[in-house]
Amino acid sequence: MNKKTIRDVSFQNKTALVRVDYNVPLENGVITSDKRITASLPTIQAILDDGGKVILCSHLGRPKGEADPQFSLKPVADKLSELLKLPVVFADDDRVTGQKADEIVKAFKQSENKVLLLQNTRFRAEETKNAGDFAKELAAYGDVFVNDAFGTAHRAHSSNVGVCAYLEGVLGLLMEKEVTMLSKVFDNPRRPFVAVLGGAKVSDKIGVVKNLIEKVDTILVGGAMAYTFLKAQGYAMGKSLVEEDKVDLARELMEEAKKANVKFLLPLDIKTTTVFEDTKEFALRKVDGLRENEMGMDIGEETIALFAEELKDAKTVVWNGPMGVFEFEHFAEGTFQVASAIAESDAYSVVGGGDSAAAVKKLGFENRISHISTGGGATLEFLEGIELPGIAAMSEK
Ligand code: ADP
Ligand code: MG
């Protein structure tokens, strides 16, 4: 990787402005999972150990560019202090970088305290527009900028990209891991390289399919996404989720795959129901046998065997999107078997996408996957081959 990380700079007697992802789930002001806070600790600790002070910033939820008490980062400051076992100063300023924050930061720098958290960056409308003076005001608090928020890396906001106009930017440890692990997939991948795609909509994944066609040997398509491709091949999909306006595009993508000599495999059989519910009263149909009142819910046994066979000898695997409505017990089998085939192969495997990652974790295969990416949109854009602005803005080595 050609970007600088926190290991490439000295923090001795410096203050690092660190963009973290503290977009934690909250219920009535109580944090229901502190995973994202825990995940930020190694980077914070490394900077402290190197003799630096840390000023953290993050967004939380979707306040509308103005202060909104339900999205205050105060509970996060308390939780962070508990986990770090250190006092954490909270700069409680509704303008984030206002006069009040300036004074708190000034006093913090002169004190023995080592860690400070600013208020929610989205209390300022300039944050998501990456405009105005907000980035400059944030940057004024630090000597170096550290970006450790992968989940927003596909966005050019004031607090992750704007600040780099004023400060040298380096990657934090979480970002470094994401970039390194995801890059491995496209950087001289071992072959066969197999991509598994699923999920609800083709339209979410067009860019991913296009980019993968140029890189992989085989693409396996399941989930509701497959029905638009099957429709393009002339099959009647009944009441299944089909994106009618994407049928032509699906046909073009399959032609592109053929030209590129990429094996493009669709389901051979499908589990169907007549109502969208978790029921054991489902039918198993060949792709040419769906009834008019039926909808696809999961891939069938033949398809599972076909996909498992391809995955068995794979040396690199990228997986995004479940094979069926895995939230329903009776339609989780396809997703389960694909996850299990990936876990059992000795491939370098990367899973991206919120639902796919949740499925892997639910099934207990976490430790047998090389990397489970934490980004939603950021991971998808990476797989589309787009350079993420939050990474591009960092200094080169
Ligand atoms: P990810 O978050 O991993 O990127 P997506 O958000 O694209 O995945 O898709 C996940 C959703 O797709 C799940 O909620 C799942 O229920 C749905 N899905 C998968 N197969 C089907 C299907 N056959 N019919 C309806 N929904 C489906
Ligand atoms: Mg999803």
Side-chain angles (χ1 to χ4, degrees):
M1 205 199 7
N2 60 344
K3 293 295 181 185
K4 282 193 186 174
T5 77
I6 55 168
R7 280 191 296 273
D8 296 311
V9 292
S10 164
F11 291 95
Q12 183 71 45
N13 298 321
K14 286 188 184 159
T15 300
L17 175 71
V18 186
R19 176 56 158 102
V20 284
D21 178 5
Y22 285 163
N23 188 24
V24 297
L26 278 175
E27 261 169 46
N28 302 319
V30 179
I31 298 166
T32 53
S33 166
D34 59 21
K35 268 175 70 179
R36 287 183 165 166
I37 306 174
T38 309
S40 75
L41 300 180
T43 294
I44 297 172
Q45 200 58 58
I47 296 168
L48 298 181
D49 291 348
D50 197 30
K53 290 198 181 213
V54 173
I55 294 184
L56 299 155
C57 62
S58 173
H59 80 281
L60 168 62
R62 294 175 177 272
K64 298 189 173 60
E66 56 184 56
D68 182 342
Q70 62 168 318
F71 297 116
S72 169
L73 277 169
K74 178 73 171 66
V76 175
D78 295 340
K79 190 49 136 192
L80 175 64
S81 172
E82 191 187 312
L83 293 168
L84 258 183
K85 300 183 180 74
L86 280 177
V88 171
V89 181
F90 181 57
D92 191 1
D93 185 331
D94 285 350
R95 297 266 313 149
V96 193
T97 52
Q99 199 186 354
K100 196 171 159 192
D102 288 351
E103 277 163 26
I104 297 171
V105 167
K106 198 173 158 200
F108 163 74
K109 287 189 177 178
Q110 289 160 356
S111 76
E112 290 295 304
N113 287 320
K114 301 276 185 220
V115 183
L116 178 145
L117 175 64
L118 295 167
Q119 186 52 287
N120 191 342
T121 52
R122 289 202 190 163
F123 282 7
R124 288 282 287 271
E126 298 119 293
E127 163 69 333
T128 54
K129 293 184 191 130
N130 191 18
D133 292 330
F134 185 45
K136 194 176 177 182
E137 290 164 18
L138 276 174
Y141 291 158
D143 305 306
V144 189
F145 174 64
V146 177
N147 191 355
D148 214 15
F150 181 69
T152 48
H154 59 313
R155 302 278 181 245
H157 289 172
S158 292
S159 68
N160 68 335
V161 170
V163 287
C164 295
Y166 310 96
L167 288 178
E168 161 156 65
V170 301
L171 300 177
L173 299 174
L174 282 179
M175 276 283 261
E176 183 191 11
K177 185 172 179 217
E178 285 283 1
V179 177
T180 309
M181 299 305 263
L182 289 172
S183 299
K184 263 196 198 176
V185 161
F186 294 143
D187 224 7
N188 262 327
R190 290 204 300 150
R191 297 186 180 272
F193 181 174
V194 181
V196 190
L197 297 174
K201 296 200 309 208
V202 188
S203 47
D204 291 344
K205 316 270 164 96
I206 295 164
V208 177
V209 178
K210 279 196 172 155
N211 189 41
L212 289 177
I213 285 173
E214 293 169 20
K215 307 235 156 57
V216 306
D217 302 297
T218 306
I219 300 182
L220 313 174
V221 182
M225 197 178 142
Y227 311 144
T228 303
F229 287 99
L230 287 167
K231 181 85 187 259
Q233 291 193 331
Y235 295 110
M237 288 287 99
K239 285 199 297 174
S240 303
L241 268 185
V242 170
E243 285 172 272
E244 295 293 345
D245 61 334
K246 293 292 178 294
V247 172
D248 289 339
L249 180 73
R251 194 177 299 116
E252 282 165 34
L253 289 171
M254 288 189 285
E255 275 161 22
E256 269 179 48
K258 197 170 170 195
K259 268 190 226 144
N261 245 330
V262 170
K263 224 196 239 182
F264 197 93
L265 299 181
L266 293 171
L268 304 171
D269 56 353
I270 295 171
K271 286 181 182 164
T272 68
T273 56
T274 50
V275 274
F276 187 80
E277 62 179 29
D278 194 4
T279 168
K280 61 179 195 303
E281 309 292 324
F282 59 81
L284 180 62
R285 306 286 184 209
K286 302 277 184 203
V287 283
D288 61 359
L290 261 75
R291 311 285 154 87
E292 234 171 78
N293 63 343
E294 288 177 345
M295 67 187 96
M297 298 293 277
D298 194 10
I299 54 174
E301 266 100 69
E302 262 187 76
T303 311
I304 289 173
L306 174 75
F307 287 6
E309 186 60 31
E310 293 293 329
L311 290 166
K312 194 165 60 97
D313 302 318
K315 292 286 178 273
T316 305
V317 176
V318 172
W319 179 24
N320 172 267
M323 297 292 99
V325 188
F326 77 102
E327 297 92 338
F328 291 170
E329 190 194 329
H330 294 93
F331 303 106
E333 186 69 13
T335 302
F336 176 81
Q337 294 296 346
V338 160
S340 151
I342 297 172
E344 271 161 30
S345 79
D346 62 3
Y348 177 76
S349 52
V350 168
V351 176
D355 293 291
S356 325
V360 167
K361 287 177 190 161
K362 193 171 151 191
L363 299 166
F365 291 137
E366 263 171 291
N367 298 329
R368 291 153 73 194
I369 304 287
S370 311
H371 180 59
I372 301 177
S373 182
T374 55
T379 309
L380 276 186
E381 290 197 20
F382 194 98
L383 295 178
E384 286 176 36
I386 296 172
E387 188 178 41
L388 306 181
I391 296 167
M394 299 299 117
S395 292
E396 303 271 320
K397 267 190 190 168

